[in-house]
């Protein structure tokens, strides 16, 4: 990106807090966990868009998430 995006605020609900707690079990802070979760979902969206572009406009009905991406090395944007 050529410019830094603005800060984002998310309403903390009980469900969001519980989900965030699960993501932080790997020992990362809340910001890193949220960035990683967004990256995983965005990667799925990009994959679905590529499938639709190459498959007569049809997106896949289901996607899988490789668990190594959840518990492996965190991407460089999450390292201090």
């Amino acid at each position: 990106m050529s410019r830094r995006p603005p800060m984002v605020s998310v309403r903390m609900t009980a469900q969001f807090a519980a989900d965030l707690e699960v993501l932080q079990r790997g020992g990362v802070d809340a910001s890193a966990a949220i960035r990683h979760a967004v990256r995983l979902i965005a990667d799925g969206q990009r994959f679905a868009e590529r499938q639709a572009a190459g498959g007569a406009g049809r997106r896949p009905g289901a996607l899988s998430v490789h668990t190594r991406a959840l518990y492996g090395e965190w991407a460089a944007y999450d390292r201090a």
Side-chain angles (χ1 to χ4, degrees):
M1 292 183 117
S2 60
R3 68 176 185 85
R4 186 179 183 150
M7 301 252 328
V8 175
S9 176
V10 178
R11 184 180 312 273
M12 182 64 73
T13 64
Q15 183 63 57
F16 185 82
D19 293 341
L20 185 56
E21 182 180 332
V22 171
L23 294 177
Q24 289 185 266
R25 288 181 187 161
V28 298
D29 64 26
S31 291
I34 292 167
R35 284 191 305 271
H36 191 64
V38 169
R39 172 66 56 94
L40 287 171
I41 298 303
D43 283 346
Q45 179 70 22
R46 282 189 278 274
F47 176 80
E49 289 171 355
R50 284 192 307 270
Q51 292 293 102
R58 298 193 63 185
R59 293 173 179 261
L63 294 174
S64 63
V65 174
H66 300 282
T67 58
R68 187 173 307 198
L70 297 174
Y71 302 107
E73 182 82 15
W74 285 80
Y77 59 78
D78 288 327
R79 289 190 215 125

